[in-house]
């Protein structure tokens, strides 16, 4: 019965999508049913680029709220819908626009670089936006003598500082509750049980900061350990000749990995690494978004205009 209901929902979504001239974008951390009905599945950077280039009039954004805001900023002429207004982000919540203004006031000559996991109001205060896949490149594009304020993820910031060798970076003390919750014991147990596996880790994972520093310094060169964005993980899983992988990020990505790499085995570093906000998006919610215009996300023009430059700089740097 459940399979029949899911199939009927999928058919209805496909019909409504055609009627509305809509495109469905889904993050790698979404539930499998939502990923399977999407036109594009990817990381924050990939979704932002898709939102910018699509010709569709309506975008149903299956992700968290700041992602839908980013799509609205990039494409103000399109209707951006998110299936759940409750789909927020614990990392985004760690800093406000007022927090950033005060921080900038203490460092008036610094360049503010913000992770895409921030609100539109925070983005409006940034010089550059970045994602985990291009954060190193963004920082490398900034003159070496300029101070940098990096926010809000302290673990990604520490990794970027180590990778670039920057000594003049100030890092905001924020974290993602999912990645911060992956413990060293989780990682050790899983790697001990899969000794031939490659280990892929997201740079937001605080539990493995010492490992990431060792990777950046070259200590693990040639070994089966890789610090990667979610999209970097997807590429590596496809290109690698290994058959077994331990993955340290939100568990939703395993569905796409398994789907695209039949015959390879993927295990979560922690089975508890689930983002409750990402999981608030359901097929019923996607259907209702298309059928009832629920829920539109629109950033005020003044805020959007100020935030757009930082986002465009992010999109321009690979």
């Amino acid at each position: 019965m459940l399979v029949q209901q899911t199939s009927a929902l999928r058919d209805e979504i496909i019909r409504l999508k055609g009627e509305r001239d809509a495109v469905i974008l889904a993050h790698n951390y979404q539930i499998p049913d939502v990923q399977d009905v999407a036109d594009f599945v990817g990381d924050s950077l990939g979704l932002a680029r898709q939102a910018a280039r699509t010709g569709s009039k309506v975008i149903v954004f299956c992700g968290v709220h700041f992602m839908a805001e980013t799509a609205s900023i990039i494409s103000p002429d399109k209707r951006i819908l998110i299936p759940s207004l409750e789909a927020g982000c614990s990392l985004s919540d760690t800093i406000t626009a007022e927090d950033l203004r005060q921080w900038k006031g203490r460092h008036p000559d610094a360049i503010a670089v913000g992770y895409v996991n921030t609100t539109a109001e925070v983005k409006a205060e940034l010089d550059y936006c970045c994602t985990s896949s291009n954060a190193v490149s963004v920082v490398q594009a900034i003159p070496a003598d300029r101070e940098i304020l990096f926010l809000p993820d302290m673990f990604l910031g520490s990794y970027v500082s180590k990778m670039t060798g920057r000594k003049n970076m100030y890092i905001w003390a924020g974290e993602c509750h999912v990645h911060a919750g992956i413990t060293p014991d989780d990682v050790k147990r899983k790697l001990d049980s899969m000794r031939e596996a490659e280990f892929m880790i997201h740079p937001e994972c605080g539990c493995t900061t010492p490992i990431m520093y060792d990777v950046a310094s070259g200590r693990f060169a040639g070994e089966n350990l890789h610090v990667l964005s979610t999209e970097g993980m997807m590429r590596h899983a496809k290109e690698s000749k290994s058959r077994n992988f331990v993955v340290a990020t939100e568990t939703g990505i395993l569905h796409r990995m398994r789907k695209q790499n039949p015959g390879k085995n993927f295990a979560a570093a922690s089975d508890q690494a689930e983002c409750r906000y990402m999981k608030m998006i359901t097929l019923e919610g996607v259907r209702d978004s298309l059928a009832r215009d629920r829920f539109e996300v629109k950033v005020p023009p003044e805020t959007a205009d100020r935030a757009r430059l930082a986002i465009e700089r992010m999109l321009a740097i690979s």
Side-chain angles (χ1 to χ4, degrees):
M1 187 66 173
L2 183 59
V3 173
Q4 291 177 336
Q5 291 175 340
T6 299
S7 179
L9 268 174
R10 286 171 55 88
D11 291 344
E12 187 175 5
I13 288 168
I14 292 169
R15 175 181 62 79
L16 288 166
K17 186 173 65 171
E19 291 176 359
R20 297 293 310 277
D21 184 22
V23 64
I24 299 173
L25 306 182
H27 193 271
N28 288 315
Y29 298 160
Q30 290 292 297
I31 63 172
D33 285 343
V34 169
Q35 290 191 41
D36 289 343
V37 81
D39 297 287
F40 180 86
V41 181
D43 65 358
S44 298
L45 181 60
L47 295 177
R49 285 177 170 155
Q50 286 295 319
R53 70 169 61 112
T54 183
S56 297
K57 298 176 182 178
V58 177
I59 297 174
V60 179
F61 215 111
C62 300
V64 291
H65 196 266
F66 75 79
M67 297 179 182
E69 283 187 330
T70 303
S72 176
I73 292 167
I74 294 170
S75 305
D77 57 327
K78 295 166 186 171
R79 196 171 186 83
I80 311 299
L81 304 173
I82 187 169
S84 172
L85 288 176
E86 301 302 312
C89 173
S90 62
L91 177 56
S92 176
D93 288 345
T94 64
I95 189 168
T96 67
E98 181 58 27
D99 290 332
L100 179 52
R101 283 191 290 268
Q102 291 183 15
W103 199 23
K104 288 166 63 177
R106 297 191 292 273
H107 301 273
D109 297 322
I111 300 294
V113 179
Y115 199 20
V116 73
N117 299 45
T118 47
T119 65
E121 288 80 10
V122 168
K123 289 183 176 71
E125 299 292 334
L126 297 174
D127 296 297
Y128 287 85
C129 200
C130 71
T131 70
S132 57
S133 61
N134 73 350
V136 170
S137 297
V138 167
V139 169
Q140 287 175 332
I142 297 170
D145 62 343
R146 295 296 299 273
E147 287 185 343
I148 293 176
L149 305 181
F150 190 96
L151 61 120
D153 189 272
M154 59 183 172
F155 302 119
L156 176 61
S158 295
Y159 176 68
V160 171
S161 176
K162 183 65 177 179
M163 289 294 288
T164 60
R166 300 288 293 232
K167 305 300 183 185
N168 53 355
M169 277 182 65
Y170 297 90
I171 301 168
W172 190 260
E175 65 179 26
C176 162
H177 76 286
V178 175
H179 287 106
I182 301 174
T183 70
D185 286 344
D186 292 330
V187 173
K188 185 178 186 304
R189 280 194 298 269
K190 196 56 63 80
L191 289 175
D192 285 347
S193 69
M194 300 177 67
R195 292 188 177 276
E196 301 302 318
E198 289 197 48
F199 180 39
M200 297 187 291
I201 178 172
H202 194 282
E204 285 181 35
C205 292
C207 69
T208 46
T209 295
I211 294 177
M212 292 193 291
Y213 271 59
D214 287 337
V215 172
S217 65
R219 175 180 170 185
F220 284 93
E223 295 191 21
N224 292 334
L225 192 150
H226 312 275
V227 182
L228 299 164
S229 68
T230 53
E231 211 56 34
M233 290 180 181
M234 292 303 307
R235 287 192 297 271
H236 183 76
K238 183 177 181 180
E239 296 168 0
S240 174
K241 294 182 180 179
S242 297
R243 292 181 57 84
N244 300 311
F245 301 84
V246 172
V247 184
T249 190
E250 210 273 354
T251 59
I253 198 173
L254 299 179
H255 174 68
R256 185 175 169 213
M257 285 181 168
R258 290 163 178 158
K259 190 174 179 180
Q260 294 186 4
N261 300 278
K264 293 184 179 181
N265 303 309
F266 299 93
S270 170
D271 294 325
Q272 306 305 312
E274 289 194 356
C275 176
R276 62 187 179 90
Y277 299 109
M278 284 286 186
K279 273 34 178 185
M280 289 177 176
I281 308 296
T282 64
L283 281 184
E284 290 85 352
V286 175
R287 186 267 318 277
D288 291 345
S289 280
L290 288 165
R292 306 175 190 173
D293 274 348
R294 297 173 59 186
F295 297 92
E296 184 173 11
V297 175
K298 198 157 188 68
V299 178
E302 182 181 350
T303 301
D305 289 344
R306 293 175 59 209
R308 192 169 293 114
L309 178 59
I311 295 171
E312 288 175 347
R313 286 172 171 167
M314 173 188 75
L315 296 175
I317 298 175
S318 61

